[in-house]
Amino acid sequence: QVQLAESGGGSVQVGGSLRLTCTVSGRTNMIYAMAWFRQAPGKERELVAELTWNSDAAVYQDSVKGRFTMSKENAWKMVYLEMSSLKPEDSAVYYCGRRIALGRYDVWGQGTQVTVFS
C-alpha cells in the first residue's frame, strides 16, 4: 500500500513562497508518475504539476509556469512543490497523487491548505 502525506502549507502574503512536501510511504516501485493537484472551494480539482518517471522535468499548468517547481528524491520517497510569487488565485487545498502505468491518479494524501492573502 502506498500512502501519501502532504505538508508545508500555510498562509502567506502575495508574492511570498512556500515549499510543499509529499511524503510517500509503502511500495513505490510501481509508480509511473506523481502530480500535485489543487482544489479551491466551488471548483474542480485541477492539475498543477506532473512528474513522470522517465521525464527530465515536470510539466506545469500554464498559470504556474515559471513560479512553481516540482521535484522528487530517489525512489519517489519525497516529492516537492516549490512555489514562489504566490497569488491569491493560488489559494487552494493542495494534494499529491500517484498513478501507475496505464492507470489513473488513484492514491491521494489528505491535502495541505495554502492561503495567499493581499
Side-chain angles (χ1 to χ4, degrees):
Q1 294 181 331
V2 174
Q3 294 183 340
L4 311 178
E6 303 91 344
S7 61
S11 182
V12 299
Q13 193 173 26
V14 169
S17 300
L18 283 174
R19 185 187 190 186
L20 306 184
T21 298
C22 178
T23 302
V24 184
S25 302
R27 295 181 62 84
T28 62
N29 58 299
M30 296 299 295
I31 294 176
Y32 178 78
M34 292 194 67
W36 286 95
F37 292 80
R38 66 187 181 188
Q39 186 169 25
K43 298 182 179 179
E44 294 187 351
R45 182 183 62 197
E46 63 178 357
L47 178 69
V48 177
E50 183 181 52
L51 185 62
T52 306
W53 73 274
N54 60 343
S55 297
D56 292 331
V59 295
Y60 302 91
Q61 181 191 87
D62 287 342
S63 65
V64 307
K65 288 181 179 178
R67 301 189 298 117
F68 289 14
T69 300
M70 183 180 180
S71 61
K72 71 173 182 66
E73 294 189 355
N74 187 48
W76 301 101
K77 291 299 184 180
M78 304 287 283
V79 181
Y80 306 98
L81 184 68
E82 296 186 34
M83 306 182 294
S84 62
S85 301
L86 284 163
K87 306 174 181 179
E89 52 263 42
D90 294 320
S91 296
V93 177
Y94 283 71
Y95 301 90
C96 60
R98 81 93 206 244
R99 68 181 175 98
I100 61 176
L102 304 178
R104 302 185 301 173
Y105 283 97
D106 58 353
V107 179
W108 308 90
Q110 293 298 308
T112 185
Q113 176 71 51
V114 173
T115 302
V116 184
F117 62 91
S118 301

